[in-house]
Amino acid sequence: MNTVATPEINVKSERRIGNSIRSRMQDVLPKIVLAPSFAVTVIFVYGFIVWTAYLSFTNSKTFPSYVLTGPRAYQRLWRWTFETDPPSSWYTSITNMGIFGLLYVGICLALGLFLAILLDQKIRGEGLLRPIYLYPMALSFIVTGVAWKWFLDPGLGLEQTLHQWGWTSFHFDWIKNKDFVIYTVVIAGVWQASGFVMAMFLAGLRGIDGEIIKAAQIDGATTWQLYRRIVIPMLRPVFLSAFIVLAHMAIKSYDLVVALTSGGPGGSAWLPSNFMYEYTFKRNEMAVGSASAIIMLMTISAIIVPYLYSELREKAR
Amino acid sequence: MRKFLGTAAVAAVMMAGTAAYAADVKEVQMLHWWTSGGEAAALNVLKEDLSKEGFAWKDVPVAGGGGDAAMTALKAMVAAGTYPTASQMLGYTVLDYAQAGVMGDLTETAKAEGWDKSVPAALQKFSVYDGKWVAAPVNVHSVNWLWINKAVMEKIGGTEPKTFDDLLALLEKAKAAGVIPLALGGQNWQEATMFDSIVLSTGGPEFYKKAFNDLDEESLKSDTMKKSFDNLAKIKEYVDPNFSGRDWNLATAMVIKGDALVQVMGDWAKGEFVAAKKTPDTDFLCYRFPGTDGSVIYNSDMFGMFDVPDDRKAAQVALATATLSKSFQSAFNVVKGSVPARTDVPDTDFDACGKKGIADLKAANEGGTLFGSLAQGYGAPPAVANAYKDVVSKFVHGQIKTSDQAVEELVKAIDDAK
């Protein structure tokens, strides 16, 4: 534009000013529009992460305190990590996290994929079946927790009903048993999330090019081979998304434990999130609570970041 | 014209401003977790008393029996600098907030109303901080009670247990008759509440005070404490297998319906009996936990008073005065099941258990046998109280297997939390 000579110098300069404002606005406008949400995120997510990290090194009790006292809270957590007889609350929390995390993510992925493959067989009534499986996701964890609490209660739910029907030797009291209560949390969690995972896989399956499958069938691949060698490997990105969604849901499931077990017998159903809440807000040991929150954050980053990194790098290549 | 509009707008804004202002000043903002039917009805008495004096009542209610959610909400409000006029609080929480310097000063009102003389000294430890009145106690609950279904008691031919062994014998009788002997909710605070009574019964008043109020280490790891845990193990044998995680009011309901013989619980359980239209001595019996007659393990609901601006002070003073008035104390506590927080309230409107509670409180106050409940946040700060609840609960549910180990864990946990 400015290479074109114009005889009327006035007009040119005016137009240039107009243009430059316009182009500058085009540059700036997205930034202006994004700035508030950016600032909010920076302050309320990253800012508070930093604040929590700071608090974990202070002597905060009921209220935040800014007197640094070194890594005392971490030392206590470290010590509690190895207290197994009787198990310290922190030991219980992290072992439960291991059990719950592995089973919840594993079973949800397996069951979700299985259901998706079954639904993908062009069966009749799929439009009805799909929402039925997906529906539990629409419930909050609190509702799921309370419903399953009643269902699993030996004096109220499944066991009582089967006794009334005449099967009096039936026995299922996991929810009241300190060694098994965490598995009832897995059951309720899987019930809620596997339909959602199924929907993700179903979308992935529908996205696979039919030509490839036809080609494989012409080559004589059995259905098992077809799925194992072609379909499932092609679902890799879906596995990634499902894993990330499930992993963070596992880490943050607090309400499910509270609603389903109210902490379990003697606190045996605690997850680190329960530990964090209890210590920060109920026991007035804010420093210890903050330290446990930071450890949770570091744990999830240790799992997710390398996974994301490798996946994204592969995509870039 | 334009100028006129401008002036009008300014005036409108100012009027709106003053209107909102006036409403705020004439309003009592109250954070509490009394949301159940009986409790809400009892609070209505206070609301009406205040409205007679021209103050509006604004609830900041947060549901949830134990008040954990409410305390979290309150913490956020205080951190943001928006103090409610008052908040329901328990024991050491009042002192925590007073220490943080956010509580108001009601000393003048207290002097004028003579609270110093009528409120038991043990309670004043929590409502007076640094010589200033910061909270108005609403009631006194006592924890060491047995609640017994009378029909079941007659069916099995039981009599009032006078010693711990009597109690075990009575529970054994119920078991033989095919009734659930002991209704217990397997949540850590309920187990610890029962253990409070067991310790007082096993070790006596001096021991309870030393161990659970002074946190004396010698007492905590003594043989008496071990014996208390042994007694807990014995009494636990009489609980139905389905007790874990049960709410306290469901356990009370078991006794009301006659499915279970007895519950060891604070006198808020009486509120449930009353709400179910049951009367003491005809439908149910209230005994002190055997071996604890003459002593009272208490907790108390208090209205903590915040440091509100001067123009909201009048409403706060009115609230405090109304709370400690004899008429409200009587009316409220009849419904709630507890006893008045001042010892000079007549017991005419109370039922048999209430009358006994009032007499016991008076005697314990004079005899120096009124002790703060460790399970209920009146024995020690929350960190210690929760460490204690942890140990008791782990013992009841089998993570801690022997009383030796329990004592060791208790000392360690309390030491850690101090």
Side-chain angles (χ1 to χ4, degrees), chain B residues 80 256 329 344:
Chain B
I256 294 176
Q329 287 280 336
D344 54 358

Side-chain angles (χ1 to χ4, degrees), chain A residues 31-42:
Chain A
K31 290 177 190 160
I32 294 176
V33 172
L34 279 180
S37 74
F38 182 74
V40 165
T41 310
V42 165

Side-chain angles (χ1 to χ4, degrees), chain A residues 233-248:
Chain A
M234 284 182 82
L235 287 175
R236 200 185 155 113
V238 186
F239 271 102
L240 172 74
S241 324
F243 175 77
I244 289 174
V245 170
L246 289 173
H248 91 261

Side-chain angles (χ1 to χ4, degrees), chain B residues 43-85:
Chain B
L43 266 188
N44 254 339
V45 180
L46 187 58
K47 286 181 198 177
E48 275 160 23
D49 284 354
L50 280 170
S51 75
K52 272 179 218 147
E53 293 181 41
F55 293 103
W57 176 282
K58 193 180 158 216
D59 274 322
V60 193
V62 189
D68 293 330
M71 282 296 107
T72 311
L74 180 65
K75 212 175 274 185
M77 286 174 85
V78 170
T82 49
Y83 303 140
T85 312

Side-chain angles (χ1 to χ4, degrees), chain B residues 38-196:
Chain B
E39 293 168 339
L43 266 188
N44 254 339
V45 180
L46 187 58
K47 286 181 198 177
E48 275 160 23
D49 284 354
L50 280 170
S51 75
K52 272 179 218 147
E53 293 181 41
F55 293 103
W57 176 282
K58 193 180 158 216
D59 274 322
V60 193
V62 189
D68 293 330
M71 282 296 107
T72 311
L74 180 65
K75 212 175 274 185
M77 286 174 85
V78 170
T82 49
Y83 303 140
T85 312
S87 165
Q88 183 188 355
M89 282 184 176
L90 294 172
Y92 276 88
T93 323
V94 180
L95 300 184
D96 265 351
Y97 279 88
Q99 209 170 10
V102 296
M103 301 305 274
D105 183 1
L106 290 168
T107 315
E108 272 176 45
T109 321
K111 266 197 192 130
E113 301 276 324
W115 296 354
D116 317 45
K117 281 160 224 121
S118 53
V119 174
L123 250 62
Q124 290 190 25
K125 191 180 152 199
F126 297 99
S127 49
V128 181
Y129 180 80
D130 209 9
K132 290 177 194 158
W133 279 83
V134 293
V138 186
N139 59 11
V140 181
H141 280 297
S142 69
V143 166
N144 48 331
W145 283 108
L146 292 183
W147 304 98
I148 291 179
N149 183 306
K150 198 179 175 199
V152 177
M153 188 79 160
E154 276 163 4
K155 197 180 99 188
I156 65 167
T159 48
E160 181 182 353
K162 289 289 180 193
T163 64
F164 188 78
D165 291 332
D166 286 357
L167 177 62
L168 292 181
L170 179 67
L171 294 173
E172 189 61 48
K173 255 187 194 168
K175 194 178 181 182
V179 187
I180 297 169
L182 179 65
L184 175 67
Q187 294 169 332
N188 64 3
W189 70 268
Q190 295 185 55
E191 293 148 1
T193 299
M194 183 167 87
F195 191 59
D196 270 358

